[in-house]
Amino acid sequence: MTQPIRYKRNIEQNGITQQAQEKLFNARVLVMGAGGLGSGVIMNLAALGVGQIKIIDGDIIEESNFNRQIIHKYRNIGRAKVISAKDWVQEYNPDIKVELDKIKINELNYFNIIQGYDIIIDCFDSYESKYMLNEIAIRHKKILIHGATQGFCGQVTTIAPDKTGCLECVMQKPKNIKETVLASLSPVVNTISALQAQEALKVITGIGSPLLNKLLVFDGLTSEFKTLNYSKNPACSACSMTNIY
Ligand SMILES: [Zn+2]
C-alpha cells in the first residue's frame, strides 16, 4: 500500500492518479549500475515510490567516484556500491524493497538477475556493457531505458521489445569495442538520470509519451535538448535477430 502523505504531491499536482501511484508501488525495476547514472536513477525511483528496485553493480566505492556519484557517502569508501545504495534507499523510503547483487554481469551470469523484472535501466558507464545489455534486453523482451553521458553531453531513449529500434539501430556497435569508461560530470549525469527515471514513470503508469524511437540528446554546454527520431534497422545485428531466440 502506498502512503497517502508521502505521495500526496505526486497525486495531487502532477496528474498521477491513486491508481498510477499504486502501479509505481507495484512496479519492479532493475537498475544496472550504482555509479553516476545509477545514483540519480535510484534516488528518483525511491522518491517516486517505485516499490521494488534491484540494484546490480560489482564495484566498491572509490574516492574518484565523488565528482558525481551522489548516493554514496565519503565514509563508505571501500564498501560495495550496491550496499551503500540500498542503505540510502532504506533511509529515504523504508517502504521500498531493495534487492541487490554485487556482481559484474556478463553473458554467462545475467539470466537469474533479470528474472521477474520487465524494466531495466541502463546506468552502465561503458558502451561495451551497454551493447551487451541491449542484446540481453532484446533477447528476453525487456524494456530498456538507455542513458549515457560523455562530458557535457548526454542522451536518453526507451527501447521497447518488438516496438522500437534498439541501441544498435541508433548507434552501430563498433568492431573490437573496448571497455572505455565514459567521461562524466555531475550536472549532466544528474540531468540524464532524472530523465531515465521519468521514462520509467511514464512506462509504468502509462502517463505521457516515453521516448520510443526517439533519442533525446542534451548538450550541457549550450543547455539545448534535441530529439532525434530513429526506427528499427532491418539489418541491425542485434534486434533483427530477435526471431532466432
Ligand atoms: Zn536494433
Side-chain angles (χ1 to χ4, degrees):
M1 290 293 289
T2 53
Q3 298 177 338
I5 295 171
R6 172 181 280 275
Y7 303 116
K8 192 165 170 262
R9 293 205 174 182
N10 279 0
I11 293 165
E12 282 181 355
Q13 297 181 359
N14 304 312
I16 295 174
T17 61
Q18 180 66 37
Q19 289 97 322
Q21 190 64 54
E22 294 285 343
K23 282 184 184 174
L24 287 167
F25 196 70
N26 292 327
R28 298 162 62 86
V29 176
L30 179 56
V31 181
M32 289 289 191
L37 290 172
S39 288
V41 165
I42 292 163
M43 293 166 94
N44 277 290
L45 294 179
L48 287 168
V50 170
Q52 186 153 334
I53 303 170
K54 187 170 182 178
I55 306 167
I56 309 299
D57 197 303
D59 289 343
I60 59 167
I61 301 166
E62 299 175 51
E63 186 163 3
S64 61
N65 302 149
F66 286 95
N67 78 320
R68 64 201 186 280
Q69 299 187 17
I70 56 178
I71 205 169
H72 304 302
K73 293 188 169 62
Y74 193 77
R75 66 168 185 266
N76 288 334
I77 287 175
R79 287 189 84 196
K81 288 184 183 178
V82 285
I83 293 172
S84 161
K86 179 178 181 177
D87 287 350
W88 186 93
V89 173
Q90 296 198 320
E91 283 180 27
Y92 187 79
N93 189 342
D95 290 339
I96 293 177
K97 189 175 172 203
V98 181
E99 288 191 309
L100 56 83
D101 213 333
K102 184 182 180 302
I103 195 168
K104 181 175 168 55
I105 71 153
N106 58 45
E107 283 285 357
L108 300 176
N109 66 13
Y110 76 85
F111 187 76
N112 289 333
I113 291 168
I114 66 170
Q115 295 307 306
Y117 288 83
D118 294 323
I119 299 174
I120 302 174
I121 306 190
D122 171 7
C123 299
F124 285 143
D125 61 359
S126 84
Y127 270 99
E128 184 191 45
S129 300
K130 289 176 182 301
Y131 282 116
M132 177 185 65
L133 189 58
N134 178 58
E135 289 174 18
I136 290 170
I138 293 163
R139 198 177 301 153
H140 296 281
K141 298 193 182 298
K142 309 287 185 186
I143 290 172
L144 178 64
I145 301 175
H146 161 83
T149 72
Q150 176 69 285
F152 275 93
C153 295
Q155 62 186 36
V156 186
T157 188
T158 294
I159 297 164
D162 300 330
K163 286 187 184 163
T164 70
C166 76
L167 183 61
E168 287 198 40
C169 294
V170 181
M171 299 186 305
Q172 202 171 12
K173 183 175 162 184
K175 284 182 181 147
N176 304 319
I177 187 168
K178 288 181 188 155
E179 180 146 0
T180 309
V181 174
L182 298 164
S184 43
L185 202 60
S186 182
V188 180
V189 168
N190 284 294
T191 300
I192 296 301
S193 60
L195 291 166
Q196 287 179 283
Q198 186 169 262
E199 288 297 291
L201 163 67
K202 290 187 286 182
V203 169
I204 293 164
T205 61
I207 295 169
S209 305
L211 291 163
L212 301 174
N213 278 330
K214 291 175 195 279
L215 183 72
L216 184 66
V217 178
F218 174 62
D219 181 346
L221 284 175
T222 57
S223 295
E224 287 182 317
F225 286 94
K226 281 183 191 160
T227 305
L228 310 175
N229 293 315
Y230 66 91
S231 58
K232 192 177 179 79
N233 173 6
C236 174
S237 60
C239 68
S240 65
M241 303 289 281
T242 308
N243 55 3
I244 69 166
Y245 296 106

